Amino acid sequence: MEKNSESDRFLASIPPGRQAEQARAVREAIRGNSAELEAIRRSRDIEKPLIAGVTRRMVREDLCLYLPESGAARETLVYLHGGCWTFGSINSCSEFCMAVAREGVAVLAYAYPLAPENDAQTIVARTGEAVSWAMDHASEWGGSPDAVAIGGDSAGGNLALAVALSAPTVRRPYALLLYYPVVHAWADEGGSWARYGKGFGLDAELMDAGNEAYSRGDARNPLISPDCASDAALKNLPSCRFLAAERDILLDQGLAFHRRLLALGVPTTHETVPGATHLFVTVPGQPTAFAKAVRLAVEGVK
């Protein structure tokens, strides 16, 4: 394990007990009381100031388009935020979306329906529809329908994989950008899950609650846990680029999934940011890892 002063300062800035509170809120929502979870959602839905060189507009109630100031981009990235499928928003990933758009890529952030109010089948289907919408409308911002990629962090990376596995029901994206994705909705034994299960940006307690809220007892469904998909289904995936955090409970499952895809002949790359922790895409505080995430997005879609 490599120490990282940026990540250590970031972890020290997280209020003690926050993730336990989030886990309790998710479990309360599973039981039908969503008041605490709604408060968490509101706290992560604050609009960020627009950065120089980028424009932003809502093209649909649930889709926000970020463009370079030139107003046109051939490549489009449909981006799906993280948040254990239960919280997060367009605004929670907006700084990342703006940074990518500034480099000449159109970014379409999607506010997908959240669990536990919505089941996985609905969430995946609606997300697939948003990707198809992007392909149908890409020409409106100078884009190509054949140059639409999907990206996402954590639960958003899981959804990106699920949508790609839904093809041909859903039109196939041409690339996937996967930031520390969830590839199966259950706890691992040992490895990174045990080493980083508390105090590293994503506690096992919170991930367990999110898995329960999303899977509803059907965790082996390939559209919930892409690692459960058949080899034949996985061989049809487009190129996949993974960016992981070294100190993250999801590191081992993502790396194992990448190696499986590699063995199946799927074009795939994997990079681990030394010392980094979960959340570097959507929560400020790890600028080196964030810059690598932006670079991966730009290189991956261009």
Side-chain angles (χ1 to χ4, degrees):
M1 180 182 74
E2 181 174 320
K3 289 289 185 181
N4 183 298
S5 57
E6 286 182 355
S7 301
D8 292 340
R9 287 193 297 269
F10 168 71
L11 293 174
S13 73
I14 299 175
R18 171 169 289 179
Q19 298 229 331
E21 291 173 3
Q22 293 172 337
R24 285 194 300 271
V26 172
R27 295 198 183 282
E28 278 297 307
I30 293 171
R31 289 190 283 267
N33 178 10
S34 60
E36 291 182 43
L37 184 56
E38 284 295 338
I40 291 170
R41 289 170 177 169
R42 288 192 296 272
S43 73
R44 295 174 64 90
D45 193 21
I46 299 170
E47 186 172 275
K48 308 297 194 303
L50 192 64
I51 66 172
V54 175
T55 66
R56 170 177 60 194
R57 64 186 172 95
M58 297 299 296
V59 293
R60 235 173 55 173
E61 185 179 357
D62 53 1
L63 286 167
C64 185
L65 177 65
Y66 300 86
L67 286 174
E69 209 163 46
S70 64
R74 179 182 181 277
E75 297 85 11
T76 301
L77 173 63
V78 179
Y79 198 76
L80 310 172
H81 64 79
C84 294
W85 304 280
T86 59
F87 52 86
S89 67
I90 286 172
N91 286 321
S92 69
C93 65
S94 64
E95 289 179 308
F96 173 76
C97 294
M98 288 187 284
V100 174
R102 184 168 54 188
E103 300 302 316
V105 176
V107 183
L108 199 61
Y110 176 53
Y112 54 85
L114 297 174
E117 296 92 333
N118 298 277
D119 60 26
Q121 182 178 357
T122 298
I123 296 170
V124 172
R126 293 275 297 278
T127 305
E129 183 272 333
V131 173
S132 294
W133 188 96
M135 294 175 178
D136 290 339
H137 293 262
S139 61
E140 296 175 9
W141 51 85
S144 167
D146 298 320
V148 176
I150 314 177
D153 58 286
S154 198
N158 171 280
L159 276 176
L161 281 162
V163 169
L165 287 168
S166 299
T169 304
V170 172
R171 294 164 65 184
R172 187 176 184 266
Y174 87 105
L176 297 178
L177 307 176
L178 307 167
Y179 301 96
Y180 40 79
V182 182
V183 299
H184 55 241
W186 63 82
D188 298 336
E189 293 184 6
S192 62
W193 189 281
R195 286 194 301 274
Y196 307 120
K198 189 171 180 62
F200 291 92
L202 175 61
D203 288 357
E205 178 184 15
L206 176 56
M207 192 70 250
D208 282 338
N211 285 339
E212 182 183 346
Y214 187 60
S215 68
R216 298 189 183 188
D218 192 24
R220 303 285 168 171
N221 183 328
L223 296 185
I224 294 174
S225 297
D227 198 25
C228 291
S230 67
D231 286 353
L234 293 178
K235 284 181 178 180
N236 289 323
L237 286 175
S239 65
C240 297
R241 302 190 70 172
F242 293 80
L243 187 62
E246 181 188 17
R247 295 187 286 174
D248 182 8
I249 63 174
L250 301 179
L251 173 64
D252 285 355
Q253 60 175 263
L255 184 56
F257 188 67
H258 154 72
R259 288 170 176 162
R260 183 181 172 195
L261 295 183
L262 202 62
L264 292 171
V266 178
T268 177
T269 64
H270 188 286
E271 180 181 356
T272 301
V273 184
T277 73
H278 203 82
L279 298 175
F280 65 71
V281 172
T282 53
V283 181
Q286 301 183 77
T288 299
F290 180 85
K292 288 187 177 184
V294 173
R295 183 206 70 205
L296 179 82
V298 175
E299 293 177 355
V301 298
K302 290 193 172 185

